């Protein structure tokens, strides 16, 4: 699949894996407030972009795709999800089982001779406050394909 570039507003940090939920809560709140102060708005669900594979900690940015004009302010950065080719999958279930979906994407890429890029992102389609059953949560996983076959 081919993805168009998507303007985003994010908060980025290196975060211990156990602290991701708190980081996401802070980041989503910071970004939403900054975007609204500038008269812009979210153009899609919240997302997190991971730079490299998570270990004890992960380099991550979290925020929203945006429509309208947004410039970095109030702790939120302006950026973009890149135009890229990638593989996408819909994960249904709790966040702690996302590894199964990533494994399936890796297997698909290997079978197709594709090389995964060094970053990937997740769109959180379900709001845990509105859908309390983790078995029903939906997460759209996007993993770009590397344009550099040596990666």
């Amino acid at each position: 699949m081919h993805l168009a570039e998507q303007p985003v507003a994010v908060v980025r940090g290196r975060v211990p894996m156990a602290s991701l939920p708190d980081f996401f809560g802070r980041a989503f709140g910071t970004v939403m407030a900054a975007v609204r102060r500038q008269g812009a708005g979210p153009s899609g669900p919240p997302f997190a972009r991971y730079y490299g594979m998570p270990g004890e900690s992960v380099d991550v940015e979290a925020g929203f795709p945006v429509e309208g004009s947004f410039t970095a302010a109030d702790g939120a950065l302006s950026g973009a999800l890149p135009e890229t080719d990638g593989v996408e999958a819909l994960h249904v279930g709790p966040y702690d089982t996302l590894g199964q979906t990533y494994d399936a994407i890796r297997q698909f890429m290997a079978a197709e001779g594709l090389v995964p890029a060094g970053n990937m992102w997740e769109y959180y389609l379900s709001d845990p406050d509105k859908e309390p059953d983790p078995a029903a949560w939906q997460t759209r996983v996007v993993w770009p394909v590397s344009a550099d076959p040596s990666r």
Side-chain angles (χ1 to χ4, degrees):
M1 126 192 93
H2 187 78
L3 299 165
E5 182 177 83
Q6 173 65 61
V8 298
V10 298
V11 172
R12 185 168 178 180
R14 176 156 286 285
V15 181
M17 291 300 289
S19 299
L20 273 178
D22 291 337
F23 172 77
F24 288 158
R26 285 190 312 275
F28 296 149
T30 296
V31 167
M32 187 60 74
V35 166
R36 287 193 171 143
R37 274 193 289 277
Q38 292 188 30
S43 63
F47 78 95
R49 182 177 184 188
Y50 298 90
Y51 293 87
M53 293 305 292
E56 291 292 314
S57 65
V58 64
D59 183 1
V60 62
E61 63 185 21
F64 290 88
V66 292
E67 59 187 4
S69 178
F70 178 76
T71 55
D74 303 318
L77 306 172
S78 177
L81 294 174
E83 178 177 359
T84 187
D85 290 320
V87 175
E88 176 181 319
L90 180 64
H91 173 81
V92 179
Y95 300 135
D96 63 2
T97 62
L98 273 161
Q100 297 167 6
T101 300
Y102 279 99
D103 289 345
I105 293 172
R106 268 194 286 276
Q107 290 170 7
F108 174 83
M109 285 185 173
E112 296 293 317
L114 302 173
V115 178
N119 66 84
M120 66 290 290
W121 53 91
E122 301 167 354
Y123 292 97
Y124 305 107
L125 306 178
S126 301
D127 180 344
D129 290 336
K130 294 180 181 168
E131 174 52 70
D133 181 6
W137 293 349
Q138 294 185 2
T139 306
R140 177 179 161 214
V141 178
V142 177
W143 200 338
V145 174
S146 178
D148 178 1
S150 67
R151 258 198 96 152

